[in-house]
Amino acid sequence: MRHLMSPLDFSVKELDTLFNLASDIEKHPDKYAHVCDGKKLATCFYEPSTRTRLSFEAAMLNLGGSVLGFSEASSSSAAKGESVSDTIRVISCYADICAIRHPKEGAPMVAASKSLIPVINAGDGGHQHPTQTLTDLLTIRSLHGNLNGFTIGLCGDLKFGRTVHSLIRALLRYNNIHFVFISPEELRIPDYIIDELNEQNATYEEVIKLDDVIGKLDILYMTRVQRERFFNEEDYVRLKDFYILTKEKMDMAKKSCIVLHPLPRVNEISVEVDDDPRACYFKQAQYGVYVRMALIMTLLGLEVKNNA
Ligand code: NCD
């Protein structure tokens, strides 16, 4: 039985197969409409979410399966003091696969160790968010053409943003990628990630001003300041509007630069940018459904029976 805890749980070759499947799903959705007939996905969300939970549910429904679960800890037995381990043992009796999001780093790993069904980490605290990374990689592969040879700017809350942490790890396995980290001093990328970049001889730079680097980026990955992980509100208020991507700033970007964002957006991308053809964050959300469909099929070991 296989779980997905980190983006590195799949080899580059396995990811390629997964992305090929996701692209085929995009082209021929009807072929996959009954692959999960009779299967159930449980979504156990101990932390708020719109996209991740609903895209998992949409993915399972698109495959012909059904869904059950809870969307906040207060409506589950966690409110009565039940442990994640016990909850997952019980859910193993009700569902075939489970996606879990938890505010505590490592909680999905604990669940996986006790589970009788495949568990997917749908985000654990400020740690990892592997299915967002699969979404990001599929989006880059589809829109940029491949996963090698580009300059990517990651901008915003690089300290607490788990999507950024997962994405960097995953991209380190591809070639000729130059990382540009754009953040205020207080929200710099954590040292353990810098260590990983150094160990792998990756090329990177850290800057504070987006204007200084926007012109050289092939991909600009914006992120929101993670209010819920701040220790005090004053710091959040001071930093929340540090970056706002506007039309004027987009004028300085390459014609081919694509703008991504895991969403939700707060203020960091002005809504006027949405009409720019380089703004790809809503397309990215659509890719999230295809890649989760491919992931559910892969972890359940399911294939389309009739390839005709
Ligand atoms: C991200 C998350 O939950 O980490 N959202 C998402 O899953 N698309 C990003 C965020 O909340 O800022």
Side-chain angles (χ1 to χ4, degrees):
M1 190 179 45
R2 211 157 174 197
H3 307 289
L4 179 75
M5 292 295 119
S6 142
L8 305 188
D9 291 352
F10 284 103
S11 67
V12 169
K13 199 159 168 261
E14 286 172 322
L15 284 183
D16 235 31
T17 308
L18 185 87
F19 296 145
N20 288 339
L21 176 59
S23 297
D24 196 60
I25 290 171
E26 177 186 3
K27 286 193 211 96
H28 310 286
D30 293 349
K31 224 166 96 180
Y32 297 87
H34 295 287
V35 183
C36 280
D37 279 357
K39 300 281 180 203
K40 292 192 236 38
L41 164 79
T43 50
C44 302
F45 276 59
Y46 295 82
E47 218 189 28
S49 163
T50 308
R51 253 150 309 276
T52 306
R53 186 169 60 82
L54 296 186
S55 64
F56 263 117
E57 297 189 359
M60 192 49 153
L61 296 173
N62 289 346
L63 293 169
S66 40
V67 296
L68 65 163
F70 54 87
S71 56
E72 46 187 306
S74 61
S75 62
S76 79
S77 281
K80 298 180 190 168
E82 186 174 55
S83 67
V84 168
S85 314
D86 280 3
T87 305
I88 193 73
R89 282 304 295 270
V90 172
I91 288 181
S92 300
C93 310
Y94 304 154
D96 301 283
I97 184 164
C98 172
I100 175 169
R101 166 171 288 194
H102 203 283
K104 286 220 177 82
E105 283 83 2
M109 291 72 167
V110 173
S113 71
K114 299 286 178 205
S115 177
L116 308 177
I117 57 174
V119 176
I120 300 166
N121 175 3
D124 61 324
H127 187 218
Q128 295 278 323
H129 193 344
T131 62
Q132 181 64 46
T133 297
L134 299 183
T135 302
D136 300 340
L137 295 179
L138 176 65
T139 309
I140 294 171
R141 192 179 104 137
S142 304
L143 302 180
H144 176 76
N146 67 71
L147 285 164
N148 298 302
F150 51 78
T151 296
I152 180 167
L154 298 124
C155 177
D157 186 346
L158 308 186
K159 179 178 180 184
F160 296 116
R162 57 191 171 196
T163 63
V164 168
H165 303 161
S166 285
L167 181 58
I168 295 168
R169 272 220 173 131
L171 286 177
L172 276 174
R173 301 196 294 184
Y174 296 90
N175 300 318
N176 296 325
I177 298 180
H178 179 64
F179 295 90
V180 184
F181 301 125
I182 309 147
S183 74
E185 185 60 36
E186 292 96 323
L187 298 178
R188 277 186 56 210
I189 197 90
D191 286 343
Y192 77 90
I193 296 200
I194 294 287
D195 291 345
E196 283 177 30
L197 288 153
N198 288 335
E199 272 159 30
Q200 307 210 24
N201 293 323
T203 68
Y204 67 91
E205 59 194 291
E206 292 187 84
V207 299
I208 295 180
K209 283 183 72 182
L210 176 57
D211 291 14
D212 291 347
V213 290
I214 192 167
K216 66 174 170 187
L217 305 178
D218 300 303
I219 300 166
L220 171 57
Y221 192 95
M222 295 295 293
T223 61
R224 103 188 137 87
V225 176
Q226 306 274 302
R227 179 180 202 161
E228 65 277 34
R229 310 208 196 282
F230 272 69
F231 292 110
N232 76 64
E233 181 73 8
E234 256 166 57
D235 286 347
Y236 169 72
V237 170
R238 188 165 45 82
L239 293 168
K240 73 182 171 69
D241 293 328
F242 203 91
Y243 300 107
I244 301 182
L245 186 64
T246 56
K247 252 185 165 156
E248 289 68 45
K249 288 205 195 300
M250 285 303 291
D251 288 343
M252 294 190 271
K254 286 187 190 174
K255 288 270 167 291
S256 57
C257 174
I258 58 174
V259 180
L260 304 181
H261 191 309
L263 304 174
R265 148 184 58 193
V266 187
N267 269 337
E268 57 282 351
I269 302 179
S270 156
V271 287
E272 65 191 18
V273 174
D274 296 357
D275 297 329
D276 189 310
R278 295 169 292 179
C280 298
Y281 26 92
F282 293 118
K283 264 189 215 153
Q284 191 181 353
Q286 178 66 62
Y287 283 117
V289 179
Y290 303 136
V291 91
R292 287 182 174 95
M293 289 170 73
L295 178 65
I296 291 170
M297 283 180 62
T298 304
L299 292 180
L300 288 177
L302 299 171
E303 284 171 14
V304 177
K305 285 179 200 83
N306 175 7
N307 242 351

